[in-house]
Amino acid sequence: MINPRKAAIVGLGNVGASIAFALMQKNLYSELVLIDYNKDKAEGEAMDLSDGLPYTGSMDIHAGSYSEVGDCALIVITAGAAQKPGETRLDLITKNTAIMKSVIDEIKKTAFEGILLVVANPVDVLTHEAQRLSGYPESRVIGSGTVLDTARLRDEIARHLSVDSRNVHTMIMGEHGDSEVPIFSITNISGVPLNEFCELRGHTGDHLAAMNRLYESVRDSAYRIIEKKGATYYGIAMAVTRIASCLVKDEHAVLPVSVALHGEYGIDGVHLSIPSIVGANGVEKVLTIRLSEEEAAKLKSSGDALREIIAKAEA
């Protein structure tokens, strides 16, 4: 039986520990199991996090093992090699596919019936592998996708237009990586079309070109952060917490998570970040939205590139 207030995190590196911290602050769960091949690391993180519980609320945070995940509502998988300076997310595929297999093998030994949320990179490829290896329903195996990338784009546009980022509605679709696609055709500021709002804020000239420059900054931001501090983890921790909130609260929220595609947008046999309705049972529906011809073509190219990579990984 699933305990809706119990979650586990597999992998307690910078990303996993930051996710644990963010989930603790949100007080979404009553029990959080931390699993890492380095048991001392997991125990230390649990001890450190528990010190803050008097300021957040009652919660059991402890280092544990896979034997404890059978009744979890959510397992967040961050285990994998970290992205190094000059290395793309796709460069990680060989190392992290092997790690993913070992993790899934352990989870399958239990009666787990909750949601698998893959965060390790390359997230789209590893989500595909997690679903294939586990055999779980596609609705229950999702990737964090471009939820973080979309937040970064919202922030860049908000800064450009001097508005609250919560009023910026936009989306990045496709690969969580270099071939991701910003969907400016649907972008609006509290319902006002993007170009019109740019004019209202005194911007003139080619608005799409300006937006593309902002997108390029978003696309390359992870590389810049890694170059400066060695890793990225706070932003993705907040993105994962947002997804977890949708699951716990059954929000039926629309998020660009990594999901299996079967012909949507002319793409088949891969996982890509596509706007989907997310609720307590995972992905309820993958949405097919109207894109411009250029956006649709770029999204198709993103899918084709990942399909080739997946084929090599499974060869």
Side-chain angles (χ1 to χ4, degrees):
M1 181 179 294
I2 294 175
N3 179 349
R5 296 297 304 281
K6 182 178 179 181
I9 299 175
V10 179
L12 270 296
N14 287 329
V15 172
S18 297
I19 290 171
F21 182 57
L23 290 177
M24 180 189 77
Q25 289 183 307
K26 281 288 187 179
N27 201 25
L28 291 172
Y29 299 97
S30 58
E31 183 177 355
L32 188 61
V33 183
L34 308 182
I35 301 173
D36 195 276
Y37 74 95
N38 183 343
K39 187 68 176 293
D40 285 342
K41 179 68 161 63
E43 289 178 349
E45 293 293 356
M47 293 167 64
D48 196 9
L49 288 163
S50 295
D51 286 344
L53 287 176
Y55 302 107
T56 61
S58 178
M59 187 178 186
D60 174 16
I61 305 176
H62 64 272
S65 65
Y66 288 102
S67 63
E68 298 180 56
V69 307
D71 61 343
C72 282
L74 174 69
I75 299 178
V76 181
I77 303 177
T78 74
Q83 187 176 353
K84 299 177 181 178
E87 189 174 40
T88 69
R89 296 179 180 96
L90 296 180
D91 289 333
L92 304 177
I93 186 169
T94 301
K95 293 180 282 188
N96 286 353
T97 297
I99 294 172
M100 179 62 70
K101 184 179 185 307
S102 68
V103 170
I104 295 299
D105 285 345
E106 293 295 330
I107 295 173
K108 285 181 67 180
K109 294 176 183 177
T110 74
F112 177 69
E113 295 183 347
I115 307 298
L116 277 183
L117 176 56
V118 178
V119 180
N121 278 318
V123 68
D124 304 295
V125 175
L126 293 182
T127 303
H128 183 88
E129 289 301 293
Q131 196 282 319
R132 182 180 70 86
L133 293 167
S134 69
Y136 296 148
E138 292 176 349
S139 61
R140 289 174 44 208
V141 183
I142 61 180
S144 54
T146 55
V147 174
L148 172 57
D149 312 69
T150 295
R152 287 170 171 162
L153 182 59
R154 288 173 60 194
D155 184 60
E156 288 287 347
I157 294 174
R159 291 174 185 273
H160 179 69
L161 297 175
S162 297
V163 296
D164 190 323
S165 60
R166 291 172 294 183
N167 296 137
V168 179
H169 304 285
T170 190
M171 193 85 67
I172 287 183
M173 295 171 59
E175 175 206 358
H176 171 56
D178 296 340
S179 69
E180 63 189 21
V181 185
I183 311 301
F184 291 124
S185 63
I186 66 168
T187 301
N188 67 84
I189 316 300
S190 291
V192 180
L194 178 60
N195 287 353
E196 182 179 341
F197 200 92
C198 285
E199 296 286 342
L200 291 173
R201 296 300 280 164
H203 293 282
T204 58
D206 190 338
H207 301 307
L208 182 57
M211 290 301 110
N212 279 322
R213 287 193 293 271
L214 296 180
Y215 157 67
E216 289 171 2
S217 177
V218 168
R219 182 194 62 199
D220 300 335
S221 63
Y223 299 126
R224 296 198 306 274
I225 294 170
I226 291 169
E227 181 180 347
K228 291 178 181 295
K229 61 173 282 187
T232 70
Y233 35 90
Y234 296 134
I236 187 60
M238 295 302 293
V240 167
T241 301
R242 176 71 190 106
I243 298 170
S245 294
C246 294
L247 298 171
V248 172
K249 300 176 183 179
D250 197 21
E251 291 185 12
H252 312 290
V254 176
L255 294 175
V257 291
S258 187
V259 295
L261 295 182
H262 299 286
E264 297 91 343
Y265 304 96
I267 304 170
D268 184 63
V270 299
H271 280 66
L272 282 180
S273 295
I274 301 295
S276 304
I277 299 176
V278 179
N281 296 317
V283 174
E284 298 175 358
K285 184 175 180 59
V286 176
L287 302 178
T288 303
I289 63 174
R290 184 180 302 171
L291 306 178
S292 70
E293 290 186 7
E294 182 180 2
E295 291 165 347
K298 288 181 177 179
L299 183 62
K300 181 72 162 51
S301 295
S302 183
D304 290 343
L306 281 182
R307 188 183 300 105
E308 292 182 10
I309 292 167
I310 289 170
K312 291 178 182 178
E314 296 177 355

